[in-house]
Amino acid sequence: MQLTRIGNGELTVDIAALGAEMQSIQTRDGRHWLWHGDASYWTGRSPILFPMVGKAPNDTVTIEGERYQMSQHGFARRSNFTLVVEESDRCIYRLEASEASRALYPFDFRLDVEHRVHGRSVSVTAEVTNRDHRPMPFGIGFHPAFAWPLPGAAGQPHRIALDNQSDPALHRLSGGLVVPEQLPSPFDHGLLTLDHSLFRDDAMIFPQGAGAGLRYGPETGPALRFSWENLPNFAIWSKPGAGFVCLEPWRGTAAEVGGSDDLSERPYAETLGPGALGRYRFTAEVIG
């Protein structure tokens, strides 16, 4: 596997060409903050979701009246990116439209994914460019899996504290599709204590109201500050018993149960006009 390593005096980050996926976040004391990809639970670590977030009915989407096969979370995470910038503290991997991608998604696009370290933070920025002559619908999201428990915090309850102290309405999945019915929020004034039982019914989806930042970790001790930009939807996912929790900011969600299979009509879908560029980012800062 082709890897690029970036770092500074505080953090070292490895990124794979496959999927432009971050593979590790390590502090200078040797602690690892990202999930290690144990195949007995889930091999992912921090996939990029494009040009679709979540599932489509029967793994099929309609685009301009034509039907295309599209597996969960799109094809970018299984695509080989090209390294176009490599510096000590940042790198950029690029995916461009090809004959293979047009068979799945008939647009001329460019997807640049930048990883950058600064202090004790790593930022991941995705830039999507529509190089086509027509409007281009898509969804995009991040899916980083952080260690649970965090290093040095075994045996301590871990919490997610939303910066906006809100209690966003919960939605669940059925067959991978979003159930439109709103459920009571698991948050209490923006606080959620994590428990593996929360994920017996798959991910927790918060289409609105989660804000743009949070703190993850025990009440005291090591933690992560996590924030995101231009990504209005949020999800939290794990597998019961696994040593990770995914904090997932998205623009666009899975299709709804009983909803349209048209990519442009998916909830919160993004559409860029010809020549337009969209930028989406998350930042994770290590505390302690």
Side-chain angles (χ1 to χ4, degrees), residues 1-17 20-28 30-32 34 45 83 85-93 114-118 122:
M1 179 187 296
Q2 178 189 339
L3 290 176
T4 300
R5 174 165 289 182
I6 59 174
N8 55 20
E10 297 290 340
L11 292 181
T12 300
V13 175
D14 290 331
I15 305 99
E21 183 175 1
M22 186 162 52
Q23 299 294 296
S24 68
I25 303 171
Q26 186 175 5
T27 42
R28 62 182 178 180
R31 289 180 294 168
H32 287 271
L34 199 69
R45 302 186 187 206
L83 183 65
V85 173
E86 182 178 10
E87 299 174 1
S88 62
D89 62 350
R90 77 178 185 117
C91 68
I92 298 176
Y93 274 99
E114 180 195 63
H115 289 77
R116 180 192 292 265
V117 294
H118 39 100
V122 56

Side-chain angles (χ1 to χ4, degrees), residues 104-123:
L104 304 171
Y105 181 67
F107 295 99
D108 185 5
F109 71 89
R110 183 173 67 212
L111 170 60
D112 284 347
V113 179
E114 180 195 63
H115 289 77
R116 180 192 292 265
V117 294
H118 39 100
R120 290 170 65 83
S121 299
V122 56
S123 292

Side-chain angles (χ1 to χ4, degrees), residues 8-288:
N8 55 20
E10 297 290 340
L11 292 181
T12 300
V13 175
D14 290 331
I15 305 99
L18 180 62
E21 183 175 1
M22 186 162 52
Q23 299 294 296
S24 68
I25 303 171
Q26 186 175 5
T27 42
R28 62 182 178 180
D29 57 12
R31 289 180 294 168
H32 287 271
W33 300 77
L34 199 69
W35 167 245
H36 48 70
D38 181 351
S40 63
Y41 286 101
W42 182 56
T43 58
R45 302 186 187 206
S46 185
I48 306 297
L49 316 182
F50 176 86
M52 182 178 82
V53 174
K55 286 185 69 67
N58 301 312
D59 291 328
T60 304
V61 296
T62 297
I63 301 172
E64 298 179 331
E66 299 291 329
R67 298 178 70 78
Y68 297 86
Q69 290 296 118
M70 186 84 72
S71 60
Q72 184 175 21
H73 295 321
F75 54 77
R77 63 188 180 134
R78 298 185 180 90
S79 299
N80 284 305
F81 284 61
T82 300
L83 183 65
V84 295
V85 173
E86 182 178 10
E87 299 174 1
S88 62
D89 62 350
R90 77 178 185 117
C91 68
I92 298 176
Y93 274 99
R94 175 171 293 168
L95 181 67
E96 296 182 286
S98 64
E99 183 178 348
S101 75
R102 288 187 179 93
L104 304 171
Y105 181 67
F107 295 99
D108 185 5
F109 71 89
R110 183 173 67 212
L111 170 60
D112 284 347
V113 179
E114 180 195 63
H115 289 77
R116 180 192 292 265
V117 294
H118 39 100
R120 290 170 65 83
S121 299
V122 56
S123 292
V124 184
T125 304
E127 289 188 349
V128 180
T129 303
N130 179 5
R131 303 194 302 184
D132 218 306
H133 62 278
R134 54 199 167 147
M136 185 177 80
F138 62 92
I140 189 164
F142 299 105
H143 201 311
F146 297 106
W148 176 21
L150 290 173
Q156 300 182 58
H158 281 44
R159 309 190 310 173
I160 292 173
L162 299 177
D163 289 353
N164 65 4
Q165 300 182 357
S166 69
D167 299 337
L170 170 66
H171 290 252
R172 287 290 191 177
L173 300 173
S174 176
L177 305 182
V178 176
V179 178
E181 177 190 3
Q182 288 190 3
L183 300 173
S185 180
F187 286 90
D188 183 5
H189 296 90
L191 288 177
L192 171 65
T193 299
L194 290 174
D195 185 275
H196 288 284
S197 64
L198 293 169
F199 305 104
R200 289 174 185 157
D201 296 323
D202 209 333
M204 295 187 290
I205 314 296
F206 305 97
Q208 300 182 70
L214 58 82
R215 181 188 184 276
Y216 159 62
E219 189 170 359
T220 59
L224 288 174
R225 283 279 311 128
F226 187 74
S227 58
W228 55 95
E229 301 171 31
N230 198 24
L231 297 155
N233 320 122
F234 189 65
I236 308 171
W237 177 70
S238 185
K239 286 193 171 182
F244 69 84
V245 63
C246 291
L247 307 177
E248 304 182 41
W250 302 336
R251 177 164 285 276
T253 71
E256 290 187 338
V257 173
S260 173
D261 65 1
D262 193 303
L263 188 62
S264 67
E265 296 177 5
R266 289 166 70 94
Y268 306 96
E270 181 81 294
T271 298
L272 292 179
L277 179 149
R279 183 178 291 111
Y280 316 89
R281 175 183 293 129
F282 80 80
T283 299
E285 178 186 4
V286 175
I287 301 171

